[in-house]
């Protein structure tokens, strides 16, 4: 078990330097969000590195109480721009906080919050919100 953990940590360290080199930075040295976002959604290892576990949010089953995702129950988030049942709402840029909302089948909203921490973007909150039925 110890060897497996060592190998996993070694893999994380080895992949960190190559993947972050693809992310553009601005004049202040902060990562460009769109560049980060592309890498985040396409590289599963990078996604795990840039997700703040335990990750706070709301339960995807519609419960109102806080829910915390751990690394062992996390599934990779992917972009699905070609699915007509998925609508991306405009990003909210709140100065160091980017809020992304995705509407699924006009019934469910997934809200992700990315925070700029020491010049790098991290997923810091992930919530599933069930919309009330339309009458």
């Amino acid at each position: 078990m110890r060897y497996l953990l060592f190998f996993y940590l070694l893999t994380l360290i080895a992949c960190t330097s190559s993947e972050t080199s693809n992310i553009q930075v601005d004049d202040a040295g902060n990562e460009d969000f769109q560049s980060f976002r592309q890498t985040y959604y396409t590289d599963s290892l990078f996604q795990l590195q840039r997700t703040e576990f335990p990750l706070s949010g709301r339960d995807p089953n519609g419960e109102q109480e806080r829910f915390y995702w751990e690394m062992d129950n996390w599934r990779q988030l992917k972009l699905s721009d070609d699915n007509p049942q998925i609508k991306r709402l405009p990003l909210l840029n709140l100065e160091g906080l980017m809020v992304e909302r995705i509407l699924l089948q006009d019934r469910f909203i997934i809200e992700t919050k990315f925070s700029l921490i020491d010049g790098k973007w991290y997923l810091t909150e992930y919530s599933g919100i069930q919309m009330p039925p339309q009458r």
Side-chain angles (χ1 to χ4, degrees), residues 41-88:
Y41 283 117
T42 57
D43 184 319
S44 60
L45 187 55
F46 181 78
Q47 188 171 116
L48 287 175
Q49 293 169 346
R50 292 299 190 89
T51 301
E52 290 285 307
F53 292 107
L55 182 64
S56 175
R58 285 168 118 181
D59 187 327
N61 296 321
E63 301 294 325
Q64 294 299 316
E65 60 200 44
R66 297 308 281 169
F67 183 85
Y68 294 91
W69 280 264
E70 298 288 345
M71 191 178 289
D72 61 343
N73 68 352
W74 184 252
R75 289 192 291 165
Q76 182 183 3
L77 300 178
K78 297 183 180 184
L79 291 174
S80 302
D81 292 330
D82 58 346
N83 187 333
Q85 294 187 5
I86 297 175
K87 296 177 187 163
R88 293 193 177 282

Side-chain angles (χ1 to χ4, degrees), residues 24-32 116 118-120:
Q24 299 170 3
V25 295
D26 62 18
D27 293 337
N30 295 326
E31 290 179 334
D32 171 70
L116 189 62
D118 295 328
K120 295 182 179 184

Side-chain angles (χ1 to χ4, degrees), residues 66-132:
R66 297 308 281 169
F67 183 85
Y68 294 91
W69 280 264
E70 298 288 345
M71 191 178 289
D72 61 343
N73 68 352
W74 184 252
R75 289 192 291 165
Q76 182 183 3
L77 300 178
K78 297 183 180 184
L79 291 174
S80 302
D81 292 330
D82 58 346
N83 187 333
Q85 294 187 5
I86 297 175
K87 296 177 187 163
R88 293 193 177 282
L89 302 174
L91 283 171
L92 298 175
N93 184 348
L94 304 173
E95 197 66 38
L97 178 70
M98 296 295 279
V99 180
E100 183 175 37
R101 294 166 298 152
I102 301 167
L103 181 60
L104 303 172
Q105 302 173 347
D106 294 327
R107 298 180 312 141
F108 197 73
I109 294 177
I110 295 175
E111 183 176 85
T112 53
K113 293 182 180 176
F114 294 93
S115 299
L116 189 62
I117 301 171
D118 295 328
K120 295 182 179 184
W121 290 102
Y122 291 87
L123 178 64
T124 53
E125 190 171 322
Y126 177 83
S127 294
I129 305 165
Q130 196 167 16
M131 295 178 61

Side-chain angles (χ1 to χ4, degrees), residues 7-45:
F7 179 73
Y8 178 72
L9 290 174
L10 186 62
T11 304
L12 281 176
I13 293 167
C15 292
T16 300
S17 61
S18 64
E19 291 306 324
T20 56
S21 64
N22 296 333
I23 299 174
Q24 299 170 3
V25 295
D26 62 18
D27 293 337
N30 295 326
E31 290 179 334
D32 171 70
F33 181 75
Q34 292 301 334
S35 179
F36 157 80
R37 186 176 172 271
Q38 183 63 34
T39 303
Y40 185 85
Y41 283 117
T42 57
D43 184 319
S44 60
L45 187 55

